[in-house]
Amino acid sequence: MSSRKRNESSTIAASIFQDVTLPCGLMAQNRLVKVAMYEHLAGFRGGFPNTYHFDLYSEWAKHGWGIIVTGNVQVAKDHLTLGRDLILPESIDAEEQAEPFRKLAAAIHGEYPSAWHSSSPERSQTLAIMQLSHAGRQSGNLIGGRPPFVPPEAPSAVPLTHGAPGAASDLLNFLLFQTPRAMTEKAILSVVDRFVDGAVLAFRTGFDGIQLHAAHGYLLAQFLSEKTNKRQDAYALDNALSIIRLIVERIRMATSKSFAICVKISAADYISEEAVNTTFSRTETSALGHLLEMASWGLLDIIEISGGDYENPEFMTSTSKSSRQAFFAKFSHQALKSLDSLRGSTQHPLPLVLLTGGLRTPDLICSALASNDADLLGIGRGSVLCPDLPSVLRERLRDMQRWGSVPFRCEPVLRSPSILEMPPLLWVWRLVPQVRLIGAGMNMAWYIVAMRQIAYGANSGNTWSVNVGGFQAVFWMWAWYPRTMSLPTVSNSRTLKSSSGTRRHEVISLLIVAMLFAYLWNAYRKSQ
């Protein structure tokens, strides 16, 4: 490597750990962001942060992240995603309900005395951001917080679809998701109130800011997408950003100028994966137009670019890393370029761009900055595989020739179990149609269980085997009952190793699931 290239590389590496000032005036200690991930650690019908959350985020707080974003906090308790969501209190003025959120902010700031880690807490300089979300039509049946077969609310009555049409796909749609009800304007304003309540709660309990989840096909993203917004009123597609602007303006008035307001958008909501390497399409141009319009408000601090939804979950899996990285990097690069062109025509401070997806090696992280693809670098699953990634990255940047192309930690390889490894009741697993959402769910399940291991006191998610069956990951995601966290060390009862007791529990659980499936199938047939 020439001297010039070494100097350029050193400059880029150094810029990763430089202070970054947000438009609101807050300062992040570096460009590394632990982005939001679904933890699945609350009570089954949704709940407030608990000791599992506190210990998980305390572990991340120890390692020098610039910003840590929580998993989604649902503003509507009857629109959950997978049952164990964090939810907003009914009254944000009730101190006993606000206290768990105050402890979560303290954990991210390194001030929560973890039950598992004996070292005394020291305040970190990490910024704590609470993500606020509403699932909309992606709130599932049975576990969505509503009575069975009560439909969720959405901008329009457009149902979810999974895979090719057919009896199996129709049954899956019927069992998992209902055709949503189109929201009235009163219902929309009620949801706006709840987003503002969430921001006020975050402000009061010590968070440095909030992030509105307008990605992955959730409610706010549904207003932005032509496939889900068929409205003809003030919230129609040609005025799609009106709901987000209303929320943002009210949050700014209800908090302070130094409170960070961020938005997560999904570039993949506008485009199919097949279009990754083509020129900008009409829908990509629409996505860029939304980003630039939001930037022109002068109210936002960070816009995160991500992708994937329940109909197109490939972007949320690790099966298409190179194309996923290329797609988001291309879009993010164009966003930064367009924002630069705005600087001369606006007096408002412009938001920083956060790129999330595929940054799994030092080379890729440095490349994102060198190519001007992002201001901030988002790490999701890598933060589970390697909670101390900022420290590891700082060390590996000293020897890029050796470590540049090496992933920070091994990623899981979810294998399908053979017939001989499966109990007879699970042979039907081989007969389940290849639904894309199920595959994405297996991958997500592995990381959920890995996050629990971190909360239990392990130093990384890799204590949960990287070579497990997809069904095993899904089973352990659901077959979990929170216990007391008063013990100072990890007890043997907390391990995930199989035993005769867990095998009996597995069989009993599957029998219950089979009975429920039979009941729902009967209900489905009667409804036809």
Side-chain angles (χ1 to χ4, degrees), residues 19-56:
D19 293 341
V20 181
T21 303
L22 277 56
C24 68
L26 291 175
M27 183 175 292
Q29 62 182 338
N30 57 57
R31 299 180 186 272
L32 300 175
V33 181
K34 198 294 295 179
V35 297
M37 296 189 68
Y38 179 64
E39 308 100 346
H40 206 249
L41 290 172
F44 187 69
R45 302 287 289 184
F48 305 148
N50 55 44
T51 50
Y52 292 93
H53 294 93
F54 307 150
D55 289 319
L56 173 62

Side-chain angles (χ1 to χ4, degrees), residues 196-207:
V196 177
D197 285 346
V200 171
L201 176 70
F203 178 65
R204 291 177 180 174
T205 54
F207 282 87

Side-chain angles (χ1 to χ4, degrees), residues 210-525:
I210 59 93
Q211 182 186 67
L212 301 178
H213 197 340
H216 300 171
Y218 291 129
L219 181 70
L220 296 182
Q222 291 162 29
F223 277 95
L224 303 182
S225 174
E226 63 182 18
K227 69 181 179 182
T228 51
N229 187 347
K230 308 297 182 182
R231 302 181 70 91
Q232 301 296 322
D233 59 7
Y235 302 97
L237 191 63
D238 58 359
N239 196 28
L241 289 174
S242 59
I243 184 173
I244 296 179
R245 179 159 191 171
L246 179 59
I247 294 170
V248 170
E249 287 177 341
R250 288 188 53 189
I251 288 174
R252 183 59 75 201
M253 288 189 294
T255 56
S256 79
K257 293 182 180 179
S258 61
F259 187 73
I261 302 178
C262 316
V263 173
K264 181 173 186 172
I265 66 170
S266 179
D269 282 348
Y270 300 85
I271 190 171
S272 64
E273 188 179 9
E274 288 77 12
V276 163
N277 294 314
T278 65
T279 58
F280 259 47
S281 67
R282 176 183 60 84
T283 49
E284 276 185 288
T285 302
S286 174
L288 187 60
H290 284 164
L291 185 148
L292 294 178
E293 183 177 341
M294 287 190 288
S296 70
W297 299 341
L299 298 169
L300 297 178
D301 293 278
I302 298 171
I303 297 178
E304 179 183 351
I305 297 171
S306 183
D309 62 24
Y310 283 20
E311 288 185 330
N312 182 29
E314 289 90 346
F315 280 108
M316 296 189 288
T317 70
S318 59
T319 58
S320 54
K321 299 185 189 83
S322 58
S323 60
R324 184 176 188 264
Q325 166 67 13
F327 173 59
F328 294 139
K330 180 187 73 168
F331 187 90
S332 181
H333 178 84
Q334 185 61 41
L336 274 180
K337 185 177 179 181
S338 300
L339 286 175
D340 284 340
S341 68
L342 279 181
R343 297 189 192 281
S345 60
T346 180
Q347 296 179 345
H348 299 305
L350 296 176
L352 304 181
V353 174
L354 166 60
L355 173 64
T356 298
L359 302 176
R360 60 192 186 278
T361 68
D363 276 344
L364 288 172
I365 286 177
C366 291
S367 175
L369 287 182
S371 304
N372 197 33
D373 291 339
D375 299 304
L376 300 170
L377 306 165
I379 311 292
R381 291 173 176 177
S383 69
V384 178
L385 296 167
C386 187
D388 57 343
L389 186 144
S391 303
V392 172
L393 175 61
R394 191 187 293 271
E395 185 66 29
R396 292 189 177 183
L397 288 174
R398 297 172 181 172
D399 189 356
M400 288 290 284
Q401 188 170 356
R402 177 182 181 186
W403 296 108
S405 61
V406 179
F408 294 104
R409 206 62 67 82
C410 293
E411 299 182 13
V413 179
L414 297 182
R415 58 182 179 83
S416 298
S418 67
I419 291 293
L420 295 178
E421 294 177 298
M422 299 165 62
L425 185 59
L426 301 189
W427 290 354
V428 295
W429 185 256
R430 286 287 191 177
L431 304 179
V432 174
Q434 296 299 308
V435 181
R436 291 174 295 173
L437 180 60
I438 293 177
M442 290 180 184
N443 203 281
M444 177 186 66
W446 188 94
Y447 284 92
I448 284 174
V449 179
M451 280 188 278
R452 285 185 200 147
Q453 286 292 90
I454 298 173
Y456 289 161
N459 60 4
S460 81
N462 266 3
T463 56
W464 169 234
S465 173
V466 297
N467 186 27
V468 299
F471 178 83
Q472 185 180 359
V474 172
F475 171 75
W476 282 116
M477 169 182 163
W478 291 104
W480 178 70
Y481 301 92
R483 301 174 182 177
T484 177
M485 293 289 288
S486 60
L487 297 177
T489 56
V490 180
S491 67
N492 290 334
S493 64
R494 294 182 179 275
T495 61
L496 297 174
K497 295 180 180 179
S498 178
S499 66
S500 59
T502 56
R503 284 189 179 278
R504 285 194 298 270
H505 177 76
E506 179 177 357
V507 172
I508 292 171
S509 298
L510 288 167
L511 285 171
I512 294 173
V513 170
M515 292 170 62
L516 178 61
F517 184 87
Y519 168 77
L520 293 175
W521 169 249
N522 187 52
Y524 171 71
R525 292 182 62 187

